[in-house]
Amino acid sequence: MTMITTTEALEAACDALLQHPYVAVDTEFMRETVYWPQLCLIQAAAGETEVIIDPLAEGIDLEPFWELMADERIIKVFHAARQDLEIFFHQGGDALIPHPMFDSQVAAMALGLGDSIAYDALVRTLLNRPIDKGPRFTDWSRRPLSDAQTKYAIADVTHLRDLYPMMVERLEKTGRTEWLAGEMKTLTSPSTYRLDPEESWRRMKLRKTTTKWVASLRAAAAWRETEAQTRDMPRQRVMKDDAIYEIANVAPTAPEQLTGLRAVPKGFERSSAAKRLFDKMSEALADAEAYAPKVEKPAPPPQGVGPTVELLKVFLKLVADEKDVAPRLIANAADLEKIAADDKADVQALTGWRREVFGEPALKLKRGEMALALKDGKVVVVDTKG
């Protein structure tokens, strides 16, 4: 294992990594007290090359690594990649998202190894290797790093390097390589990582749907997100969700309208941040109709659809067990409700490989062309057409 602390050493390491068809990648970061995650370590392994890159080293330029991540000739292998990709998207320049890529957690779902399997469990299951999780929650920003920290960090990618060909072989043998395509498309979509303050209201539950209230909620949430990004502070430290709801109820444009709100800190109404909130709220309410997002109340499910949903749940479990795949990779509860209500529902479960293994048979089940029955204590499919 090599510790990289200079740009020159990083260039050489990236050249060595690029000589292989794939590279395993992981990061260590801190985000408890900041909005933008602080990248503390980057680990990479390919072939015999195993490196830890120190992004906090004085004078280091990470451009060679970003170029490696952008190189289409090499597959980037991660486990539970979303947080790593979020960091790369915001730090890698030009909204970098590594491509092509492979996520071993998603692949594990396709191979029937469980929903969102933890990395240590995956390594233990496929490689029969234990992982010391002790250093996992240590302070990765402190220097020097301990031996335990560096051993833990590099193990994350050396195991991943060894897992990848094994998982690819299993996927190819079972004809499931393409099953990952949709999930990888979502993971590598820029929209997954854009943090537009004006869209932050979507994190909140809509307690009302009146135009003014929704506009106020959007304005309050956008104000908080902008403050969090500007001040590099977790959004909940700027203002709790309960306070955002109270602010949406009041729609304040002046200090006196904030006094007496239980969830809003005392004295906040006199701060410069409050002034920015009032400005944002005034701007939003100047034309609430135009500013408020269009929120449509979901149509209630057709009467009597409940038993169909329950039947589809049983069938989904049956298919998932039979195919040895995590049910969540095929469909979720919302998908089942939509399929129960509409044979042409716009859900992933009725497209591509999901339609083949589950969606089409589920529609046949709805139409009565097949049924579920108990045989020797097990649920089985019965063809009713004959």
Side-chain angles (χ1 to χ4, degrees):
M1 185 274 297
T2 303
M3 178 68 76
I4 305 295
T5 58
T6 67
T7 306
E8 292 74 21
L10 179 58
E11 288 175 345
C14 289
D15 285 343
L17 292 168
L18 193 55
Q19 304 309 307
H20 302 275
Y22 69 93
V23 56
V25 185
D26 189 37
T27 67
E28 307 298 341
F29 53 87
M30 303 287 289
R31 71 181 314 159
E32 288 79 6
T33 60
V34 293
Y35 182 91
W36 306 106
Q38 180 187 14
L39 182 59
C40 299
L41 280 186
I42 302 170
Q43 305 97 274
E48 298 301 314
T49 303
E50 304 170 0
V51 298
I52 294 179
I53 304 162
D54 185 359
L56 304 182
E58 185 177 354
I60 194 169
D61 183 351
L62 295 180
E63 187 58 28
F65 178 76
W66 301 137
E67 290 177 358
L68 174 68
M69 291 296 97
D71 197 308
E72 295 280 336
R73 294 172 296 175
I74 184 170
I75 298 171
K76 276 66 71 170
V77 182
F78 295 83
H79 181 84
R82 184 158 182 156
Q83 291 192 88
D84 301 305
L85 298 191
E86 179 187 350
I87 293 173
F88 292 176
F89 181 81
H90 291 287
Q91 292 197 13
D94 297 325
L96 171 70
I97 298 179
H99 187 272
M101 66 159 289
F102 178 96
D103 190 317
S104 61
Q105 188 177 71
V106 178
M109 293 171 65
L111 292 172
L113 298 174
D115 280 1
S116 303
I117 187 171
Y119 183 64
D120 61 320
L122 182 62
V123 171
R124 189 167 54 250
T125 299
L126 294 187
L127 297 178
N128 195 29
R129 299 175 187 171
I131 291 182
D132 178 9
K133 298 176 65 176
R136 182 180 180 185
F137 295 111
T138 56
D139 184 349
W140 292 101
S141 66
R142 300 183 71 177
R143 296 293 184 270
L145 296 170
S146 68
D147 288 343
Q149 284 178 303
T150 56
K151 287 178 181 177
Y152 170 87
I154 199 62
D156 272 354
V157 287
T158 54
H159 295 319
L160 192 56
R161 173 197 59 198
D162 299 339
L163 280 171
Y164 172 71
M166 181 183 297
M167 299 186 82
V168 167
E169 181 181 6
R170 290 193 179 194
L171 288 166
E172 289 175 347
K173 280 185 177 179
T174 54
R176 297 182 181 183
T177 303
E178 292 303 313
W179 289 24
L180 273 65
E183 301 299 317
M184 293 304 103
K185 186 176 180 180
T186 299
L187 273 175
T188 57
S189 170
S191 63
T192 302
Y193 307 100
R194 289 196 184 105
L195 300 171
D196 182 357
E198 292 295 338
E199 297 300 312
S200 59
W201 66 273
R202 298 182 185 277
R203 297 176 178 272
M204 314 289 289
K205 292 183 179 179
L206 292 180
R207 295 179 176 178
K208 302 177 186 178
T209 56
T210 61
T211 297
K212 182 179 178 181
W213 190 88
V214 175
S216 300
L217 178 71
R218 184 182 189 187
W223 162 82
R224 178 176 67 171
E225 203 74 10
T226 300
E227 290 288 317
Q229 291 180 3
T230 303
R231 294 152 62 180
D232 196 16
M233 178 185 295
R235 63 179 65 88
Q236 292 294 331
R237 292 197 180 186
V238 174
M239 194 69 70
K240 300 286 188 184
D241 283 354
D242 287 347
I244 294 297
Y245 286 123
E246 287 190 355
I247 290 169
N249 289 335
V250 175
T253 56
E256 59 271 15
Q257 292 173 290
L258 280 180
T259 57
L261 298 186
R262 295 177 61 184
V264 176
K266 290 182 180 179
F268 168 75
E269 68 275 9
R270 298 186 298 273
S271 68
S272 58
K275 173 64 167 58
R276 291 188 289 273
L277 170 62
F278 301 145
D279 290 344
K280 180 65 180 177
M281 194 64 68
S282 296
E283 178 188 340
L285 298 183
D287 189 351
E289 190 72 37
Y291 183 74
K294 300 299 180 278
V295 178
E296 295 183 4
K297 292 183 179 179
Q303 211 167 14
V305 79
T308 305
V309 174
E310 295 305 314
L311 185 65
L312 290 176
K313 287 180 180 178
V314 174
F315 184 56
L316 175 61
K317 181 66 166 61
L318 180 67
V319 170
D321 286 349
E322 181 182 282
K323 299 295 184 182
D324 196 19
V325 61
R328 190 166 67 86
L329 192 62
I330 300 175
N332 56 34
D335 292 339
L336 299 184
E337 290 176 2
K338 291 176 182 177
I339 293 171
D342 182 2
D343 286 7
K344 297 181 179 180
D346 183 17
V347 295
Q348 277 195 327
L350 291 181
T351 63
W353 67 268
R354 292 176 176 86
R355 185 181 185 100
E356 180 182 343
V357 303
F358 172 76
E360 197 60 46
L363 295 178
K364 289 181 180 180
L365 184 64
K366 275 188 64 182
R367 293 192 295 262
E369 297 172 8
M370 52 182 265
L372 300 183
L374 277 175
K375 183 177 181 180
D376 299 328
K378 294 182 179 180
V379 178
V380 296
V381 174
V382 178
D383 187 348
T384 60
K385 292 187 297 182

